[in-house]
Amino acid sequence: MRRKVTVIGAGNVGATCAQEVARRDYADVVLVDIIPNFPQGKALDMNQAAAVLSYEPNITGANSYEETAGSDVIVVTAGKPRAPGMSRDDLVTTNEAIVAAVTRAAVKRSPKATVVVVSNPLDAMCHVAKAISKLPRERVFGMAGILDTARFRAFIAWETGASIKDVQTMVLGGHGDQMVPVVSATTVGGVPLTELVSKARIGKLVKRTRVGGGEIVNLLGTSAWYAPGAAAAQMVDAILLDEKRVLPCTALLEGEYGIDGLYMGVPVKLGASGIEEIVKLRLSAEEKRALRESAAAVREVVGVLTHK
Ligand code: NAI
């Protein structure tokens, strides 16, 4: 039987994620948005693309949640994106109300679903989805680390002239400018990055990664969607195909990495049960300090939430 994936928010990130999932052809996709006709129009376009790209035309657009009933995975992308000059945290009040409303409506009809949060500020929105859904932490988590890691991998590939496929790394922490690219766990074809690139150059790549979202917001006037949509779809794959991928995801920490009661980006093993393990990575003293600083920044944003 085909699986069912609901993507809430048919905007840039949601539509990209929906089409990425549809192209895999193992799941039916329901795309929900508050704007009348908008998700229906996107779904119709994607269903017609199916003839060219070879997948079954099983995407449904909706403005309500009846069609979403019985979903296996719910991806939450509804909410405002950043505009130039804004930090992700500036979105907190507007997007808290949206994420709370859509999570409540969707989980009511799909109580067995796994929820992947994408809306920003990501770490805080995971707290909202967890509080509203009351699902266990294994089944409510966020997408940010795959995107931040993808950015770091692209910069390293350009710097070293090596294929992006051979760049292995992890970006941990909150999805803000204090995120922690883990240089000590970065290799190119198995060779430590520190043996290939000078410390000063690595510092520049780390800095560009941390403000990588802002770089795109300044170019486009809104936030990125190709990489974020593909990253969310990769998480859907890992869950529904029970892949046991070790990916950086935003998980509720309960003492891991010395952090308690806070959603933060850490490596996790993702499979059919959602987060099946929080993977412990040995960090340098500097990386541990950076992670603590990132946690403090996330705690500040979470502090203003009503649902936490
Ligand atoms: P967008 O503006 O293109 O799409 C958002 C969609 O949400 C709109 O179509 C809007 O009508 C819909 N929406 C708003 N309220 C709704 C509601 N109550 N019910 C259903 N739909 C509703 O924005 P975009 O670029 O797709 O970004 C979506 C979110 O994802 C933003 O909060 C953005 O900051 C975040 N984001 C997160 C990333 C991450 O790494 N976690 C990366 C990129 C974006």
Side-chain angles (χ1 to χ4, degrees):
M1 200 176 89
R2 284 166 71 93
R3 312 303 292 274
K4 188 166 178 180
V5 177
T6 285
V7 180
I8 310 175
N12 288 332
V13 177
T16 306
C17 173
Q19 192 176 21
E20 287 289 334
V21 173
R23 286 183 73 161
R24 268 68 151 182
D25 215 8
Y26 62 75
D28 297 340
V29 178
V30 183
L31 190 56
V32 181
D33 202 283
I34 201 167
I35 303 174
N37 299 326
F38 185 60
Q40 292 85 347
K42 292 244 170 163
L44 188 57
D45 188 8
M46 284 178 208
N47 282 324
Q48 292 164 358
V52 184
L53 297 171
S54 281
Y55 53 85
E56 294 307 317
N58 292 339
I59 303 138
T60 307
N63 298 117
S64 63
Y65 289 82
E66 285 74 36
E67 301 279 3
T68 70
S71 293
D72 299 290
V73 176
I74 297 166
V75 182
V76 178
T77 77
K80 289 256 172 288
R82 279 200 279 176
M86 284 175 97
S87 85
R88 295 177 181 88
D89 300 345
D90 294 335
L91 302 166
V92 67
T93 311
T94 313
N95 284 354
E96 174 174 12
I98 294 172
V99 169
V102 305
T103 304
R104 187 176 290 116
V107 171
K108 193 172 147 199
R109 289 160 182 90
S110 301
K112 293 189 177 144
T114 298
V115 179
V116 176
V117 181
V118 180
S119 311
N120 272 321
L122 191 267
D123 313 275
M125 291 308 107
C126 289
H127 279 269
V128 175
K130 172 86 173 71
I132 295 289
S133 68
K134 299 188 179 65
L135 291 170
R137 69 169 177 161
E138 292 75 19
R139 285 174 46 210
V140 188
F141 42 89
M143 189 293 293
I146 299 174
L147 170 66
D148 298 327
T149 301
R151 289 177 172 150
F152 196 31
R153 286 176 66 188
F155 302 148
I156 292 168
W158 289 326
E159 181 71 23
T160 57
S163 165
I164 197 165
K165 294 178 200 148
D166 298 321
V167 179
Q168 274 279 347
T169 186
M170 283 273 172
V171 177
L172 308 185
H175 185 47
D177 296 351
Q178 278 159 305
M179 65 182 72
V180 186
V182 183
V183 175
S184 66
T186 305
T187 57
V188 180
V191 181
L193 183 66
T194 47
E195 291 177 18
L196 299 170
V197 178
S198 71
K199 209 172 166 203
R201 286 296 305 164
I202 293 175
K204 287 207 165 66
L205 305 183
V206 165
K207 201 165 164 204
R208 188 171 176 196
T209 301
R210 286 182 155 164
V211 296
E215 182 179 0
I216 291 185
V217 171
N218 288 335
L219 290 166
L220 293 178
T222 186
S223 57
W225 60 86
Y226 296 114
Q234 186 175 56
M235 290 173 68
V236 175
D237 283 347
I239 299 160
L240 291 184
L241 304 177
D242 194 21
E243 289 179 330
K244 319 285 186 199
R245 292 290 311 270
V246 176
L247 296 167
C249 298
T250 299
L252 180 60
L253 299 181
E254 291 173 344
E256 298 89 356
Y257 289 89
I259 296 164
D260 196 26
L262 198 67
Y263 270 95
M264 288 277 283
V266 291
V268 305
K269 192 182 285 169
L270 265 195
S273 309
I275 292 184
E276 299 187 351
E277 187 188 331
I278 292 183
V279 176
K280 292 279 173 54
L281 202 60
R282 196 187 296 270
L283 301 177
S284 70
E286 196 186 327
E287 288 159 354
K288 279 188 195 148
R289 184 190 46 74
L291 199 62
R292 277 197 300 274
E293 277 176 21
S294 178
V298 172
R299 261 191 216 286
E300 217 170 288
V301 186
V302 170
V304 308
L305 293 173
T306 312
H307 309 283
K308 52 188 156 201

